[in-house]
Amino acid sequence: MNLLPKSITRVIESFEKLPGVGTKTAQRLAFYLLHVPLDEVERFADSLKGLKKGTVLCSVCKNVTEVDPCPICSNPNRDHLTICVVEQPTDVLAIEKTGIYHGVYHVLHGAIDPLNNIGPDEIYINDLIKRIKNKEGINEIIFALNSSMEGEATIMYIMKQLSALRHQTSAIKVTRLANGLPIGADIEYADEVTLKRAMEGRREW
Ligand SMILES: [Zn+2]
């Protein structure tokens, strides 16, 4: 017998689908919302609806944006010949916060993770390779992926793809962030100073 009203169960189930949220937390959140004034809950629900309707992926860099191309890709003052490859849109925010990077980005939306069935086709690797192939005169590709097994596997895979295009990509400098980011650390959680140092001290592959 289900002791909870359906409307609450439905909310709990929705929260449970979010990353890092277990049953206990989902229940706590659902009951918390039960006590929040109706207009606030409505604003919350509206913002969730707007999340999908109000955003698109930039056709160039795959970052989440309101307009396509995104403000970074359409900014003539950015260096469009330097591409920083990151896993998540939040990594773009973290790097932008350092204020030292003036190139453009490519957001993969994940990393290769065979244990969770995420292969190269599940993330935006092919779009990156195509982008590199089609854009002439690229100076540098910076890998700013998380220092994890998945991040490493992703870099290895992309490098392999690039070496197949060697005649075209040999002039491109490939770098990665300097050591200093703890192993297993996510870029988005790195503090600004560490990330800034890692970016400045990036080394060639
Ligand atoms: Zn873009």
Side-chain angles (χ1 to χ4, degrees):
M1 191 180 73
N2 197 347
L3 291 175
L4 288 174
K6 263 207 186 77
S7 52
I8 296 184
T9 312
R10 270 212 311 266
V11 173
I12 293 173
E13 284 169 358
S14 298
F15 277 131
E16 271 179 331
K17 289 191 183 126
L18 301 176
V21 178
T23 307
K24 282 257 169 67
T25 307
Q27 286 174 348
R28 210 167 50 233
L29 291 172
F31 282 103
Y32 168 79
L33 285 175
L34 208 52
H35 296 288
V36 168
L38 182 63
D39 60 330
E40 238 177 83
V41 176
E42 274 169 353
R43 266 207 302 278
F44 180 60
D46 285 347
S47 68
L48 283 181
K49 275 189 208 153
L51 185 65
K52 276 292 206 181
K53 281 190 192 146
T55 58
V56 288
L57 288 191
C58 172
S59 56
V60 183
C61 72
K62 305 299 167 195
N63 199 4
V64 178
T65 172
E66 283 180 331
V67 285
D68 182 26
C70 74
I72 293 178
C73 287
S74 57
N75 184 345
N77 297 321
R78 305 284 302 212
D79 167 12
H80 291 264
L81 300 176
T82 301
I83 301 176
C84 180
V85 182
V86 297
E87 289 182 25
Q88 300 296 348
T90 41
D91 300 332
V92 173
L93 295 179
I95 294 172
E96 284 298 290
K97 240 172 102 185
T98 68
I100 59 157
Y101 181 65
H102 305 291
V104 290
Y105 294 91
H106 189 90
V107 185
L108 295 173
H109 291 267
I112 293 176
D113 182 2
L115 291 179
N116 287 306
N117 292 323
I118 299 174
D121 294 337
E122 271 70 50
I123 55 179
Y124 289 95
I125 288 183
N126 288 333
D127 296 80
L128 172 66
I129 305 295
K130 249 186 252 157
R131 188 175 167 192
I132 294 169
K133 230 168 151 177
N134 295 337
K135 175 103 184 156
E136 250 172 74
I138 292 179
N139 286 326
E140 184 178 356
I141 293 168
I142 305 166
F143 285 111
L145 303 189
N146 295 335
S147 51
S148 60
M149 294 275 283
E150 294 78 23
E152 288 303 313
T154 308
I155 296 178
M156 297 294 281
Y157 180 86
I158 296 174
M159 287 305 286
K160 219 170 135 192
Q161 301 289 308
L162 288 182
S163 67
L165 304 170
R166 200 169 305 135
H167 59 286
Q168 203 187 328
T169 58
S170 57
I172 301 176
K173 191 160 98 177
V174 178
T175 59
R176 54 186 304 172
L177 295 190
N179 291 332
L181 290 174
I183 297 296
D186 283 359
I187 301 276
E188 65 173 304
Y189 299 127
D191 69 276
E192 231 170 282
V193 178
T194 308
L195 191 52
K196 200 168 162 182
R197 276 202 202 122
M199 186 60 112
E200 281 168 342
R202 63 185 183 267
R203 57 202 159 77
E204 207 151 336
W205 179 266

